[in-house]
């Protein structure tokens, strides 16, 4: 089983992720060809070999061809994607600010904002609604497109929640939006290229000190970052600067299958390759992001052991409507699975066994869900191991468009079971006006074999 592991001991940002994934083996030329399918103009993506504190790696640089803040250096030394704002009377003296691509001495108020009362702002803007449409209608592969939309939507949603405005009213400065689109879509494309079966991550270093944004001087993390890492294992104080940006946090939140906290261990594996993403800022500690491609030695026959938590409660005094709402809240909070089983309780009363499966870092939030949205006054929390067969995905193309096929492996490199995603079967069934099983046959028969 191929595992991609993020080592976030110095935090994470969008461009450092892109540099690390290319350094780990993603084809940079193929990446640029895929990014061209976005139909965007005015950018150039470069990968430079640089070193920090004696460690060599790859630095990703998006050249937008604009000196957006009036500086006489590479535009990519500014952070644009961060915290959106209401105050549009900007001071453009940013000489000590750096792009997200270097962990983050920048002014967050120059990242994005909502559409009300621009006060004559002189820069063009791109709304989240426009960016979403751009990604949805692009020629990116289905897997990369889905992941890019997931990552970007998390950033936009966090900004929306910070400022209390509808998400479609969130806008990004044109140059900053371009940087973020390239970083996020590029990361999604690279992850498709590397095709790991599982993505893991260390705890996330947020840094320390303060950040300056439209809300004033605030302690690290910035508001949007704090929302994006909610429920994820984080640590602070390793650096006296902001080390994780909203884009970096959103990439992890959308992509990581399992976080490995200090002392837990990650099992037995063999490193295939390691990639290092280089940040712009030079510090007394290495400003890098390290990713590793690994081959797991765990599990017989391809099973993947995963430590999880099972939360359970017996309930006999809730209506069906209330139980349905409870299940919605479980999944919204991060449950991997939730089931309701009819049981006979004491005094021969009919009741419901409510069982929720979750990763350990989500157990606190799910306990709160039990007590907030159900009538129980107690629950059981049991550590369990889940074993999964190795999974993969293949894109099928033909007259039906694109469809994703889920693959399951047990022994060897050939899948022994596969199934086409429901959403793609349903789309073809609606378009051809046929039942679901016939839609699957159409997809398989018309597929060009890719």
């Amino acid at each position: 089983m191929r595992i991609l592991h993020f080592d976030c001991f110095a935090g994470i940002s969008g461009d450092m992720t892109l540099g690390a994934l290319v350094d780990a083996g993603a084809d940079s030329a193929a990446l640029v060809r895929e990014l061209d399918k976005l139909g965007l103009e005015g950018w150039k993506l470069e990968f430079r070999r640089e070193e920090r504190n004696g460690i060599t790696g790859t630095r990703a640089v998006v050249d937008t061809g604009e000196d957006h803040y009036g500086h006489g250096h590479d535009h990519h030394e500014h952070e644009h994607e961060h915290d959106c704002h209401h105050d549009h009377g900007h001071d453009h003296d940013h000489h000590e600010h750096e792009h997200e691509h270097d962990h983050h001495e920048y002014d967050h108020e120059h990242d994005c904002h909502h559409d009300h009362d621009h006060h004559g702002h002189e820069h063009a803007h791109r709304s989240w609604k426009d960016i979403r449409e751009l990604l949805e209608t692009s020629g990116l592969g289905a897997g990369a497109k889905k992941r890019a939309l997931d990552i970007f939507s998390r950033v936009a949603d966090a900004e929306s929640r910070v400022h209390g405005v509808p998400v479609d009213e969130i806008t990004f400065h044109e140059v900053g939006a371009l940087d973020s689109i390239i970083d996020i879509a590029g990361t999604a494309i690279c992850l498709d290229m590397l095709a790991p079966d599982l993505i893991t991550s260390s705890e996330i270093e947020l840094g320390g000190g303060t950040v300056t944004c439209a809300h004033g001087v605030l302690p690290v993390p910035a508001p949007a970052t704090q929302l994006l890492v909610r429920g994820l294992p984080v640590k602070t104080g390793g650096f006296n600067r902001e080390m994780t940006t909203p884009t970096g946090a959103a990439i992890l939140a959308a992509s990581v299958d399992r976080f490995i906290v200090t002392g837990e261990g990650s099992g037995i594996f063999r490193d295939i390759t390691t990639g290092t993403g280089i940040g712009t800022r030079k510090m007394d500690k290495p400003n890098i992001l390290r990713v590793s491609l690994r081959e797991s030695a765990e599990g017989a026959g391809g099973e993947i052991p995963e430590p999880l938590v099972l939360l359970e409660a017996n309930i006999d005094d809730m209506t069906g409507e209330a139980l349905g709402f409870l299940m919605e809240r479980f999944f919204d909070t991060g449950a991997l699975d939730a089931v309701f089983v009819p049981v006979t309780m004491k005094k021969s009363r009919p009741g419901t066994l409510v069982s929720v499966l979750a990763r350990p870092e989500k157990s606190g939030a799910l306990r709160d869900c039990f007590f907030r949205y159900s009538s129980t006054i107690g629950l059981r929390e049991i550590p369990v191991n889940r074993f999964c067969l190795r999974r993969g995905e293949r894109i099928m193309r033909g007259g039906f468009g694109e469809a994703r096929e889920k693959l399951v492996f047990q022994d060897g490199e050939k899948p022994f079971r596969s199934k086409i995603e429901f959403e793609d079967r349903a789309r073809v069934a609606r378009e051809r006006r046929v039942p679901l099983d016939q839609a699957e046959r159409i997809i398989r028969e018309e597929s060009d074999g890719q």
Side-chain angles (χ1 to χ4, degrees):
M1 178 183 64
R2 282 166 59 91
I3 300 172
L4 181 69
H5 181 71
F6 286 86
D7 193 355
C8 304
F9 65 89
I12 182 171
S13 62
D15 69 305
M16 292 177 74
T17 303
L18 201 54
L21 294 175
V22 167
D23 204 53
D27 186 329
S28 60
L31 167 62
V32 172
R33 289 196 296 272
E34 285 297 304
L35 287 171
D36 282 338
K37 295 179 181 179
L38 292 168
L40 290 169
E41 297 181 353
W43 63 274
K44 181 172 68 173
L45 178 59
E46 299 177 358
F47 294 97
R48 303 172 183 173
R49 296 296 293 173
E50 296 188 12
E51 66 85 22
R52 296 290 180 267
N53 299 69
I55 299 174
T56 303
T58 297
R59 180 179 164 215
V61 179
V62 178
D63 182 359
T64 60
E66 288 192 44
D67 192 9
H68 187 62
Y69 292 114
H71 294 276
H73 54 229
D74 191 319
H75 172 75
H76 212 49
E77 292 187 7
H78 303 286
E79 158 70 76
H80 301 285
E81 132 315 289
H82 217 349
D83 191 19
C84 63
H85 66 94
H86 301 270
D87 176 10
H88 304 298
H90 307 309
D91 176 2
H92 282 223
D93 184 14
H94 286 214
H95 292 284
E96 297 193 7
H97 301 162
E98 299 187 11
H99 196 281
E100 138 166 320
H101 304 5
D102 180 52
H103 291 139
H104 331 299
E105 272 190 297
Y106 44 74
D107 188 332
H108 299 246
E109 72 174 304
H110 280 271
D111 303 325
C112 57
H113 65 99
H114 65 89
D115 276 338
H116 304 309
D117 192 14
H118 287 218
H119 296 299
H121 194 283
E122 64 187 82
H123 299 299
H125 298 86
R126 193 185 290 262
S127 72
W128 160 233
K129 182 178 179 181
D130 294 336
I131 294 170
R132 185 174 63 235
E133 183 178 353
L134 171 75
L135 292 170
E136 287 173 341
T137 59
S138 72
L140 295 180
K145 183 184 298 185
K146 180 180 178 182
R147 191 186 301 271
L149 283 164
D150 187 6
I151 296 169
F152 223 125
S153 68
R154 290 170 187 261
V155 176
D157 181 65
E159 301 289 7
S160 170
R161 291 163 64 190
V162 167
H163 302 292
V165 298
V167 68
D168 279 348
E169 293 182 15
I170 292 295
T171 64
F172 298 79
H173 290 276
E174 179 66 23
V175 175
L178 188 55
D179 285 341
S180 296
I181 293 167
I182 298 303
D183 286 345
I184 289 172
T187 292
I189 293 165
C190 287
L191 290 174
D192 259 17
M193 287 182 185
L194 296 174
D197 303 304
L198 188 73
I199 299 177
T200 63
S201 175
S202 69
E203 296 153 311
I204 310 165
E205 173 63 58
L206 301 180
T210 61
V211 291
T212 301
C213 61
H215 319 282
V217 178
L218 296 175
V220 167
T225 304
Q226 187 167 31
L227 287 174
L228 286 160
V229 299
R230 180 177 292 173
L232 307 183
V234 300
K235 56 184 178 180
T236 59
F239 296 76
N240 194 34
R241 299 169 184 264
E242 184 182 31
M243 300 305 295
T244 292
T245 66
T247 292
I251 287 169
L252 294 178
S255 305
V256 173
D257 299 302
R258 185 191 310 171
F259 283 89
I260 300 168
V261 300
T262 301
E264 181 181 288
S266 57
I268 302 170
F269 60 86
R270 177 176 60 87
D271 258 342
I272 301 172
T273 184
T274 298
T276 302
I278 299 292
T280 305
R281 185 192 302 147
K282 296 181 179 180
M283 308 168 65
D284 59 353
K285 299 178 183 178
N287 183 20
I288 64 174
L289 172 69
R290 187 166 58 199
V291 301
S292 300
L293 266 177
R294 303 169 171 179
E295 188 71 33
S296 173
E298 289 187 345
E303 300 94 345
I304 306 167
E306 181 177 10
L308 299 176
V309 173
L310 181 65
L311 299 96
E312 291 186 337
N314 298 338
I315 298 174
D316 66 359
D317 56 353
M318 288 181 66
T319 67
E321 288 179 335
L323 285 168
F325 180 73
L326 176 63
M327 181 172 282
E328 288 180 10
R329 298 307 304 142
F330 285 145
F331 285 114
D332 287 344
T333 306
L336 296 172
D337 199 6
V339 294
F340 294 168
V341 181
V343 294
T344 301
M345 298 173 59
K346 62 185 180 181
K347 300 182 181 180
S348 300
R349 293 175 181 170
T352 303
L353 170 62
V354 177
S355 297
V356 178
L357 193 65
R359 295 192 172 91
E361 63 268 17
K362 295 290 186 180
S363 60
L366 288 164
R367 281 195 300 271
D368 182 66
C369 264
F370 265 101
F371 293 130
R372 186 181 300 271
Y373 299 108
S374 84
S375 60
T376 191
I377 58 174
L379 58 87
R380 300 174 293 279
E381 187 171 309
I382 309 161
V384 297
N385 280 326
R386 178 173 71 169
F387 289 82
C388 295
L389 293 174
R390 184 164 62 91
R391 290 164 290 180
E393 184 175 278
R394 178 167 59 201
I395 304 299
M396 306 175 74
R397 297 181 175 87
F400 52 83
E402 286 190 354
R404 291 161 294 161
E405 182 183 25
K406 290 181 178 178
L407 309 173
V408 180
F409 303 82
Q410 186 167 18
D411 295 300
E413 292 304 312
K414 290 186 177 180
F416 81 100
R417 188 186 305 156
S418 69
K419 186 175 183 179
I420 296 170
E421 284 278 12
F422 167 76
E423 290 83 359
D424 296 316
R425 286 182 287 136
R427 174 181 54 79
V428 174
R430 286 191 291 266
E431 291 172 353
R432 305 286 182 97
R433 301 177 67 84
V434 297
L436 275 176
D437 58 348
Q438 188 174 339
E440 177 148 359
R441 288 197 298 272
I442 289 171
I443 292 170
R444 294 192 183 279
E445 290 169 0
E446 294 185 8
S447 172
D448 58 13
Q450 294 185 11

